[in-house]
Amino acid sequence: MKRLLPIVVLLFLQSCQYFEKEVPNEKELLDKQMKEINWNEVDEYPSVADCEKLTDATQRKQCFFEFLTATIQQKLAVDTLSTMFPKLDTIEVKVTVLPNSELEFEPQFPKDSVAYDTIKIDSILRVRLVDFPKVNPAIKRGIPVKTQFVLPVIIKSE
């Protein structure tokens, strides 16, 4: 037993080297994490109270887009947009949801769009698209983030 004890102690001391691990560089870890994050996707899409009860992420996203589109169409239906621009049946609106839950709207026109008074349409949208219900911003890694998307909004329902 006395002969075995020094060998066991020697093996024990030698085996400690196997447990030593090099501590990774903090900057390298951060760089690796930043490269792994897909910055074009969010963990949770923006939402409104009516859609919060849905548990499926796809259904919640669809609910939000349908709610937003319907609300924009409803707010624009009371205006003279369709009478001022009778050939305009659908307009694309870029919606920005900011991290502080504010919404911004910007009409999107084709580059060769000279048929419409884009400044007038933009001003009508800015006047009409106010007083929206509270929108919860998108979430990325637990932090509210800015998101943008383009919605086709039907002006004329003929």
Side-chain angles (χ1 to χ4, degrees):
M1 188 70 160
K2 289 185 177 188
R3 288 185 189 169
L4 192 61
L5 185 63
I7 294 173
V8 170
V9 170
L10 183 64
L11 284 174
F12 180 72
L13 291 174
Q14 193 70 7
S15 68
C16 288
Q17 292 176 1
Y18 295 113
F19 295 115
E20 280 185 30
K21 297 246 182 200
E22 187 176 317
V23 177
N25 183 336
E26 186 177 321
K27 182 168 176 18
E28 288 174 8
L29 279 175
L30 179 62
D31 289 343
K32 182 180 175 187
Q33 280 285 329
M34 294 300 275
K35 287 177 186 173
E36 289 176 1
I37 296 173
N38 181 354
W39 293 104
N40 295 321
E41 288 290 321
V42 292
D43 299 335
E44 222 176 282
Y45 277 87
S47 187
V48 290
D50 292 345
C51 300
E52 291 289 324
K53 61 184 172 240
L54 299 172
T55 56
D56 182 55
T58 307
Q59 289 178 343
R60 184 183 283 190
K61 176 183 170 184
Q62 185 67 30
C63 173
F64 173 71
F65 287 136
E66 288 172 0
F67 171 83
L68 205 54
T69 302
T71 306
I72 291 171
Q73 287 172 343
Q74 180 184 24
K75 288 183 176 284
L76 294 179
V78 297
D79 210 322
T80 58
L81 201 57
S82 58
T83 57
M84 291 172 66
F85 304 99
K87 292 184 180 179
L88 184 66
D89 63 346
T90 303
I91 188 169
E92 290 190 340
V93 179
K94 179 163 80 170
V95 180
T96 304
V97 181
L98 299 172
N100 63 357
S101 297
E102 288 183 24
L103 295 173
E104 294 177 355
F105 301 96
E106 180 184 340
Q108 300 292 290
F109 300 103
K111 294 201 186 301
D112 59 349
S113 178
V114 291
Y116 305 114
D117 185 351
T118 56
I119 295 171
K120 189 173 269 188
I121 293 173
D122 185 50
S123 67
I124 290 171
L125 287 178
R126 292 190 190 281
V127 168
R128 289 291 177 201
L129 300 181
V130 293
D131 298 329
F132 268 77
K134 184 179 184 320
V135 173
N136 299 319
I139 303 293
K140 181 72 174 180
R141 297 209 165 208
I143 300 170
V145 292
K146 172 182 163 182
T147 50
Q148 291 182 321
F149 43 87
V150 177
L151 292 176
V153 178
I154 299 170
I155 303 296
K156 219 188 298 187
S157 59
E158 294 176 3

